[in-house]
Amino acid sequence: MSVITEVKQRLDIVELVSEYVTLQKAGRNFKGLCPFHSEKHASFFVFPEQQSWHCFGACGTGGDIFSFIMKKEGVDFGQALRLLAQRGGITLGPLEASSKVEDEKKEKLFQINEAATEYYHHLLSSTKAGGAARSYLARRKVTPEVIKEFRLGFSPDAWETLKNYLLGKGYTEKELAEVGLIIEKEEGGSYDRFRNRLMFPICDIQGRVTGFGARVLDDSLPKYINSPQAPIFDKSSILYGVDKAKSTVRKKNLVIIVEGYMDVLTAHQHGWQNVVGSMGTSLTEKQVGGIKRLTSNITLALDADLAGEEATLRGRAILAYSNAEANVILLPPGKDPDEVISEDPALWEKLVGQAMPILDFAFQSVISKVDINKAKDKSLAVQKLLPSINEIKDPVQQ
Ligand SMILES: [Zn+2]
């Protein structure tokens, strides 16, 4: 748990604000005279459920305990954190004390990714250079609306175009290398990491661009490359499209996890806004942990080939560990969600409805490979399944 979360959990906003403002109960909430502007009628509200405050008067602003203290005491975030941590009896390590510097550094890296996203998107949408990428998307039947919503882009077939563009905006080579957009050469100098590729900005749940996925436009390999691990990018903790999917996931209380970027685009284009992408064959515990804050109903739609099956078995153990309700969509052999959704939307809807509990799927996929009548195969099946079963924490399910 981060120290910020810890402080928020320890302290109650009503209690804190009451030390500065005389609050009166107003339904579930509290109101009082705004401490930040002069007024005769109370327009300053505190919401205990959200642990937030808002002035509906002249200020028209609000926030959490941190922003309240920053404004009231006239301190910066780091100082507010120290004040509130002290109040909550939480000792700050030297790491947290320097967290403001870290936050500012990360903010800069997000800005760089944002600038790169706009640049790539402009090249794709409005330049001759983006023609091949536009044709590729047209062949895959991706609509202009989806291209815009997901801010797809094109990285030019050149070594220093993005680098020079961003240096021109005042960012340093060191920062560009840190966020993974350029690669530094051992003998000195550097060059653009992404060249002649279709660009998929990967966002965190708040919609900030943390990194990129990049696909070739022909059959060359590797087909996909990604941003490297960076202070703001950890591929194993992010689900592609989660920022666009989050409200529908909450509303439907269901998330459908697919593998690829194109699967996510096609799903959203066909009205399945609760679909996110694992960006690889295996689902990680961090990815599951993140999405579980939105819903505990998780459905996996992974390719029905061996890789998908193996990934699901590993993923299954993770899901069981996190006590989520997990189901698996069984796709027709050789088809990925992208193809099924665009070729036969009705079939996709049916498959989602028929998703199978993951434990049943695990048994079926192992048993279908062995002849259950042969004693040797039987013990093999048990050996393969036992580790999974042992990991299930819920005694009822076991
Ligand atoms: Zn006010």
Side-chain angles (χ1 to χ4, degrees):
M1 182 165 47
S2 81
V3 68
I4 295 171
T5 317
E6 208 182 339
V7 167
K8 282 189 170 182
Q9 283 182 0
R10 290 272 186 97
L11 300 177
D12 176 47
I13 194 165
V14 178
E15 216 178 292
L16 180 76
V17 172
S18 297
E19 290 189 10
Y20 300 88
V21 182
T22 308
L23 291 174
Q24 287 178 321
K25 198 122 179 53
R28 288 175 174 180
N29 308 314
F30 293 85
K31 65 175 180 178
L33 295 175
C34 179
F36 305 121
H37 82 275
S38 148
E39 62 175 4
K40 290 203 173 80
H41 302 285
S43 55
F44 179 85
F45 280 74
V46 176
F47 307 100
E49 277 169 23
Q50 289 88 29
Q51 286 291 302
S52 67
W53 61 273
H54 196 95
C55 168
F56 292 95
C59 308
T61 182
D64 57 11
I65 49 172
F66 291 103
S67 59
F68 182 83
I69 288 298
M70 282 163 74
K71 252 175 112 76
K72 197 62 208 148
E73 301 291 351
V75 295
D76 65 25
F77 182 81
Q79 288 166 305
L81 179 64
R82 270 186 288 277
L83 281 171
L84 291 172
Q86 200 174 21
R87 194 188 157 98
I90 299 158
T91 321
L92 291 183
L95 211 64
E96 283 94 28
S98 67
S99 72
K100 187 173 177 281
V101 180
E102 279 299 302
D103 287 349
E104 277 170 2
K105 196 177 105 183
K106 284 185 181 173
E107 185 51 42
K108 190 82 163 281
L109 299 183
F110 278 122
Q111 282 171 17
I112 293 172
N113 274 348
E114 179 61 29
T117 299
E118 276 187 20
Y119 184 67
Y120 289 146
H121 184 64
H122 167 75
L123 289 182
L124 174 74
S125 318
S126 327
T127 69
K128 199 167 161 241
R134 282 198 298 276
S135 313
Y136 173 81
L137 288 168
R139 279 202 304 283
R140 299 293 298 259
K141 299 192 175 64
V142 180
T143 62
E145 290 75 28
V146 166
I147 292 171
K148 208 173 154 192
E149 190 194 354
F150 284 81
R151 305 172 76 197
L152 304 186
F154 171 67
S155 54
D157 193 7
W159 294 94
E160 296 185 312
T161 311
L162 180 79
K163 181 176 99 175
N164 289 334
Y165 172 74
L166 292 172
L167 291 179
K169 293 205 131 220
Y171 301 112
T172 66
E173 217 162 319
K174 187 167 167 278
E175 289 164 341
L176 301 186
E178 195 162 16
V179 80
L181 285 169
I182 61 170
I183 296 172
E184 286 176 314
K185 289 186 276 196
E186 265 177 42
E187 65 271 27
S190 60
Y191 58 94
D192 290 355
R193 177 181 299 272
F194 303 111
R195 300 177 309 279
N196 198 24
R197 283 173 183 264
L198 178 63
M199 302 300 296
F200 300 87
I202 300 165
C203 298
D204 62 12
I205 196 157
Q206 299 166 52
R208 299 179 301 181
V209 181
T210 61
F212 295 89
R215 191 199 193 284
V216 289
L217 296 169
D218 52 24
D219 291 327
S220 60
L221 294 170
K223 198 156 120 183
Y224 282 96
I225 56 173
N226 292 105
S227 294
Q229 185 84 16
I232 58 167
F233 186 64
D234 174 18
K235 185 164 163 272
S236 69
S237 70
I238 284 193
L239 288 161
Y240 179 64
V242 68
D243 55 314
K244 279 121 197 140
K246 65 183 171 191
S247 65
T248 311
V249 167
R250 274 208 195 93
K251 225 178 289 163
K252 293 194 171 174
N253 191 22
L254 172 70
V255 65
I256 299 173
I257 302 179
V258 295
E259 279 182 21
Y261 300 104
M262 294 305 291
D263 296 327
V264 174
L265 298 186
T266 305
H268 280 244
Q269 192 167 309
H270 285 80
W272 292 85
Q273 263 78 22
N274 58 337
V275 171
V276 297
S278 63
M279 300 184 289
T281 46
S282 66
L283 195 59
T284 71
E285 199 170 335
K286 278 192 255 178
Q287 287 173 321
V288 173
I291 202 72
K292 273 189 65 196
R293 280 183 224 125
L294 301 178
T295 180
S296 55
N297 293 312
I298 299 173
T299 291
L300 305 174
L302 305 177
D303 296 3
D305 59 13
L306 188 67
E309 193 179 286
E310 288 292 322
T312 306
L313 277 170
R314 279 200 305 276
R316 196 212 60 73
I318 293 161
L319 289 164
Y321 179 75
S322 336
N323 288 324
E325 295 293 322
N327 292 298
V328 177
I329 291 173
L330 301 175
L331 292 161
K335 297 272 179 188
D336 55 33
D338 170 35
E339 292 166 305
V340 178
I341 296 168
S342 56
E343 287 163 15
D344 194 347
L347 173 64
W348 170 255
E349 185 154 12
K350 196 175 131 200
L351 292 173
V352 172
Q354 293 173 345
M356 174 191 273
I358 200 155
L359 193 57
D360 296 357
F361 174 77
F363 272 103
Q364 183 179 301
S365 62
V366 170
I367 283 167
S368 68
K369 285 209 177 44
V370 300
D371 183 345
I372 205 75
N373 294 315
K374 287 186 192 158
K376 196 180 151 207
D377 278 1
K378 219 183 272 180
S379 77
L380 190 77
V382 170
Q383 273 170 29
K384 273 194 92 167
L385 283 171
L386 261 182
S388 314
I389 296 166
N390 281 338
E391 280 176 62
I392 299 172
K393 295 281 192 286
D394 181 356
V396 178
Q397 215 181 343
Q398 193 166 358

